[in-house]
Amino acid sequence: MTMQNAGALAGLKVLDLSRVLAGPWCTQTLADLGADVVKIERPGAGDDTRQWGPPFLKDAAGNDTDQAAYFACCNRNKRSVTVDMATPDGQALLQRMAAGSDVVVENFKVGGLRAYGLDYESLKAANPRLIYCSITGFGQDGPYAKRAGYDLMVQAMSGMMSITGRADGTPGGGPQRVGVALTDTFTGMYAATAILAALQARHQTGRGQYIDMSLLDVGMALLANQTTGYLNSGTVPQRQGNTHPSLAPYQDFPTADGSMLLAIGNDGQFGRFCAAVGRPEWSADPRYASNTLRVRNRETLIPAMEELTRGRSTADWIALLENKAVPCGPINDIAQAFDDPQVQARGLAIDLPRSAGDGIDTIRGVASPLRLSEHPPVLRHAPPALGQHTDEVLAEWGVPEAERVRLRSAGVL
């Protein structure tokens, strides 16, 4: 991530009415690419995730503050403005800002912004070029449309938890959620993709459009080969731990000092593995001659491999196989991942300097994975303090200081 001042989306104005994760993940992606994202928050409270701790951000002396680290994961490069949209003055201000914006992103319940005059139809009348993205749990129609939706609920409903975890009847068996809010973050990425598509369409038509994003839709789409396999075979996929339904050997294996991951995806890789470990007879065995046969006969192949892998350390296995074009690696915790030389070479841990007068001088984060040669992601703002940019942004929008003082004294800002 570069410190330069422009990005591919420079000049794009985004009014961010979203909170928690899916919407902010979308708008952070746009912000990293150069868009000017103004995040609207509740005065005195802000985004819910500001309080979702521990862990908390630390001040310059290394002490915990009252600001949760969760908020920082999805709100860099944004400017925070506090506005109470429940007030007429707040509604008028946000309507004015939407009239001059390219994109609005919100994740209120279906129809929740209509009472404030901040729904798509109301804002479209004043700004036909507006691209308006709504993110909900279940979409704008259907029997569940008015329900609140959360990542964990969608992981359960979509079938994701049914294929995640160890099989029933084994130690630790049972459905498991993925360790991060996967449907939230992927919904944010899909939403950003849809917004970019709508921007391209606007270049042709001159008109904006409405985008309906649903966590459930995304959760179902994420199941990829598992759903396609079911729809075309009628066989319901089951949990099977770290093994793969269509590939073998493609899983974790025990080693002398822990475990490692082998991801053998074709017959050539399996042959090279067998030669490297001194078991060429395995690749010649008619039971294991192809991937399909290895999947069908994994109950004999895997125990034989596990007996072998226990004889060396994880590091020794990696050293043996990495130059044989056999995918093999450690199973890291997050601290070990950040210590990995490849992660360090890619600069994936970044320091975000902040000057908000709250004692937090630096926030650490993960760099954007979007690597554009001509317009790389930009770093302009650390995750903001609540309302840090209210006066700055409203002054840019032509709200005079006397009016800002009045609105602040009335509790609107």
Side-chain angles (χ1 to χ4, degrees), residues 34-280:
D36 179 14
V37 176
V38 174
K39 181 179 180 67
I40 304 300
E41 301 190 70
R42 294 171 295 165
D47 192 310
D48 293 345
T49 58
R50 288 187 180 274
Q51 288 78 47
W52 282 14
F56 293 96
L57 298 176
K58 295 185 182 297
D59 62 21
N63 301 310
D64 278 351
T65 67
D66 61 356
Q67 300 184 51
Y70 196 116
F71 176 86
C73 82
C74 54
N75 285 291
R76 69 168 170 249
N77 275 332
K78 305 177 188 180
R79 296 190 288 174
S80 172
V81 173
T82 51
V83 178
D84 184 356
M85 68 172 60
T87 64
D89 280 337
Q91 292 159 21
L93 183 57
L94 292 176
Q95 290 163 4
R96 174 179 174 180
M97 296 178 74
S101 295
D102 297 288
V103 179
V104 168
V105 178
E106 59 91 7
N107 60 351
F108 286 75
K109 291 181 181 179
V110 171
L113 289 179
R114 191 171 298 118
Y116 306 126
L118 296 172
D119 58 300
Y120 175 60
E121 292 301 326
S122 298
L123 298 181
K124 172 187 172 184
N127 182 4
R129 291 175 55 81
L130 182 66
I131 294 162
Y132 189 109
C133 179
S134 292
I135 299 175
T136 58
F138 301 102
Q140 298 294 309
D141 52 23
Y144 301 159
K146 293 189 178 297
R147 291 186 185 179
Y150 296 90
D151 174 88
L152 181 59
M153 181 187 303
V154 172
Q155 286 199 34
M157 292 182 64
S158 66
M160 187 177 297
M161 289 177 63
S162 78
I163 58 169
T164 305
R166 298 191 180 277
D168 290 339
T170 62
Q176 294 285 322
R177 72 175 181 91
V178 180
V180 295
L182 197 68
T183 60
D184 270 334
T185 54
F186 266 85
T187 299
M189 292 304 297
Y190 272 109
T193 302
I195 288 167
L196 295 177
L199 286 168
Q200 175 62 21
R202 192 176 72 176
H203 292 325
Q204 309 301 321
T205 68
R207 300 188 305 275
Q209 59 184 291
Y210 182 78
I211 298 169
D212 171 12
M213 295 298 309
S214 154
L215 267 66
L216 182 61
D217 294 357
V218 171
M220 298 291 289
L222 287 181
L223 300 186
N225 58 295
Q226 297 280 31
T227 45
T228 304
Y230 163 70
L231 291 172
N232 289 280
S233 72
T235 301
V236 179
Q238 301 297 311
R239 289 183 300 282
Q240 54 186 82
N242 291 327
T243 64
H244 194 287
S246 305
L247 295 171
Y250 197 94
Q251 63 184 81
D252 59 316
F253 284 89
T255 65
D257 59 352
S259 56
M260 67 171 177
L261 199 288
L262 279 175
I264 293 175
N266 59 52
D267 298 339
Q269 291 173 355
F270 183 65
R272 291 193 295 276
F273 170 82
C274 295
V277 303
R279 294 291 191 273

